[in-house]
Amino acid sequence: MAVLSGFLLTGAVLAGVAILFPDLVADLDLMGTSDDDTTTTAPVEAGSAAEASEVVAGFVTALEAGELGAVRFVDPGATATPGVTTETTSESGTASTPGSSAPRARPETEVGAEFEELTGGLAPFTLDAAEGQVTLLDATTARAPIELTWQFPEGISWTTASDIDLRFVGGEWLVDWQPAILEPSLRPGDRLQRARLAPTRAPILGRGGVLLVDEIALVEIGVQPSRVQDLPLLAQQLEDILGIDGVELASSVEAASPEAFVPVTTLPRTEYDAIRDQVFPLPGTVFRESVRPASVDPNLARALLGRSGEVTAEIIEEFPDRFEPGDYAGLSGLQSTFNGVLTGQPGLEVSVIRSGPDPSTTTTGTGLITTSSVVEIGEPQLLFTVPAADGEPVQTTIDPVVQRAAEAALQRTELTSALVAVEVSTGEVVAVANGPMGATVNFAMTGQYPPGSIFKVVTGYALLRDTLSANDPVECPQTITVSGRGFANAENEVLGVVSFRDAFAHSCNTAFVGATLGFAPETLNATASDFGLGTDYDLGEFAFTGSVPVAEDNVDLAAAAFGQGRVLMSPLSAAVMAATAADGTFRSPVLVTSPARSPQVVTPLEPRAADSLQELMRAVVTEGTGRAVAQVVGAPVSGKTGTAEFGNDNPPKSHAWFVGFQGNLAFAVFVEAGEFGGSTAAPIAADFLNALAVRG
């Protein structure tokens, strides 16, 4: 083709011009001939749909892998009509004429770099592509639809639909790369970006909707060694103000690098504000603020509720669609157990940052805009969004009033201790306290301890159900021998022949051993399950429910009769046992009511035996080993003391237990290595009940 005075002249027109104006044609060489060479237009070469489909499939595979270097693309600088090349014949032969008049392949690295620049703001993501059937638009152009599914870590997918254009160049199909392949509105220079929409973490609630854990503003107080002027003075001042261990703090500061942040304590913003004027001016103190899940009262049910902090790699692996590095999550307790419920589901926004020519620069001679002359235009334009779904609250049965009374009662001892309280009529766990104050391990639910004589609640019920009445006589010698193994009473007590009621009230071990000699090996195991021991509790949080193995022999049975040998319980399972005894019905304990748990199991005991058991437990308080709770305020208290030997010392150490009930409240008190239940655990129970009477 040729252009004359702005008109496009076809071959037929040129032939007519040659007849009318031969001299003009000769001068202008409009026919393209000379004595030396002849120029001809090569026939248009056509590509097949099958070949185009293969190229599209290869492009889709490369796109999914993010490896576009294996694909050949059309050079956007090519301006000639697609598929048309010119050949020049001369004395030296025939050759094609290169240059801007012929389409050519684009360097693959350019497209790869453009793809990275365009999509880098979406990372990380995976891309799934599905191509449709190729359509030949003409001999040298083809088109195929493509659908892309972008998968993001939040568990959200974004689907875009567009077209892939191809051009047949030099005997092969080349992909005509355009950003619009990824999303129809995209153009060169644009950049995609992803914004994560964080959900609001929901609270953990106690009875009546009282906030136990919520997202609150916190201030972390620390020390930066390089700022300290007088370390001993600073350590003492912080100890006086905050109640921390100043000596331990000084040691930590000395061991840290000069610019380190040595944590001292973390306080709710409201508590920090009250002491700010005292700590802020101290040379060396530094502060970090954050908003994250935390207990509203740091000392309330601390081990049960747990703590929060920055997510670990393990949490991200468990919840890849919920968390990313830097997020806060529950690290222990209920905060950890219900991370997936409390956190909610993050949302997502995909936007495009539009770019255009910088008005202060000029375009190149070809009219192309170079990267260096591209600037952002306006605000990001939203292409896709999924709103965040906030977390769901976790509703517990913890009663803050009862919980605080339990925490306060455990301050009587500095030993590891626990107090669990259960509402008799519902089975709801209303307090789970661990001592000493600030304990972070939930021994109240997970501890596994020999129960000692509190297990006589189970054994006593079995005897009342199967063989004895409360007034039947039993022998209580100092010792009793079973298959060559001797068993004795605490402090070698001897009661002689007494009623079963008195033997229970004074916790005579030998009477229980003698009375159970005729039991089948599985009797205590089966009876224990009537009180929930060894059964599954769907509490929402791990708990040890007890273990009462089938007796292997008479010695094993004799030891189990008074809670020794292989019998193990947790304070929680002991409280459930006490609640079952309180009204003669086992109710599987309830700690979390939302999200919903398995239906509660309700199983009645044998009524006559249950009534007699309650009479015996009242006698423990009125005339037996539990008289420490006889004078508490409120309704009458019934209970059972326990002294449980453990370890290999001679004489062995003992845990102290007391289980009981008052009105609609059952409870269990445990003190590790506390020696005697009547003198150590029962007074704690009295403090607990008296505190409740005052607070109630």
Side-chain angles (χ1 to χ4, degrees), residues 362-532:
T362 57
T363 59
T364 63
T366 62
L368 296 177
I369 301 171
T370 62
T371 302
S372 61
S373 62
V374 173
V375 295
E376 295 181 11
I377 300 177
E379 295 295 324
Q381 178 184 340
L382 185 65
L383 297 178
F384 173 74
T385 183
V386 173
D390 292 340
E392 295 291 332
V394 171
Q395 177 66 61
T396 75
T397 58
I398 295 298
D399 186 324
V401 173
V402 182
Q403 181 70 34
R404 288 190 176 93
E407 306 270 9
L410 291 180
Q411 293 187 49
R412 176 182 279 266
T413 178
E414 295 182 357
L415 298 173
T416 297
S417 55
L419 197 162
V420 178
V422 176
E423 188 174 68
V424 174
S425 61
T426 63
E428 293 187 353
V429 180
V430 292
V432 178
N434 291 270
M437 179 66 75
T440 58
V441 179
N442 195 5
F443 294 114
M445 292 176 61
T446 63
Q448 302 183 26
Y449 307 103
S453 290
I454 64 167
F455 188 71
K456 289 173 183 170
V457 171
V458 173
T459 309
Y461 168 75
L463 289 167
L464 291 167
R465 180 193 61 197
D466 298 340
T467 62
L468 294 173
S469 67
N471 294 321
D472 284 345
V474 294
E475 286 194 47
C476 179
Q478 179 178 327
T479 63
I480 187 172
T481 301
V482 177
S483 300
R485 168 76 180 275
F487 296 92
N489 293 318
E491 298 184 313
N492 297 315
E493 185 177 39
V494 180
L495 297 180
V497 178
V498 295
S499 68
F500 182 55
R501 179 180 184 277
D502 288 344
F504 189 96
H506 294 278
S507 201
C508 178
N509 296 338
T510 57
F512 274 76
V513 172
T516 57
L517 287 176
F519 274 9
E522 66 276 4
T523 297
L524 289 180
N525 169 270
T527 305
S529 68
D530 293 340
F531 288 80

Side-chain angles (χ1 to χ4, degrees), residues 423-427 576 579-580 583 585-589 600-603:
E423 188 174 68
V424 174
S425 61
T426 63
V576 173
T580 303
D583 76 344
T585 303
F586 166 70
R587 295 176 177 84
S588 54
Q600 187 179 40
V601 177
V602 179
T603 308

Side-chain angles (χ1 to χ4, degrees), residues 261-284:
F261 181 96
V262 180
V264 177
T265 190
T266 300
L267 299 174
R269 180 76 202 204
T270 53
E271 293 185 22
Y272 167 75
D273 288 343
I275 61 165
R276 180 187 183 281
D277 292 343
Q278 299 177 62
V279 297
F280 189 80
L282 300 179

Side-chain angles (χ1 to χ4, degrees), residues 75-89:
D75 189 332
T79 59
T81 302
V84 177
T85 60
T86 58
E87 293 180 349
T88 301
T89 304

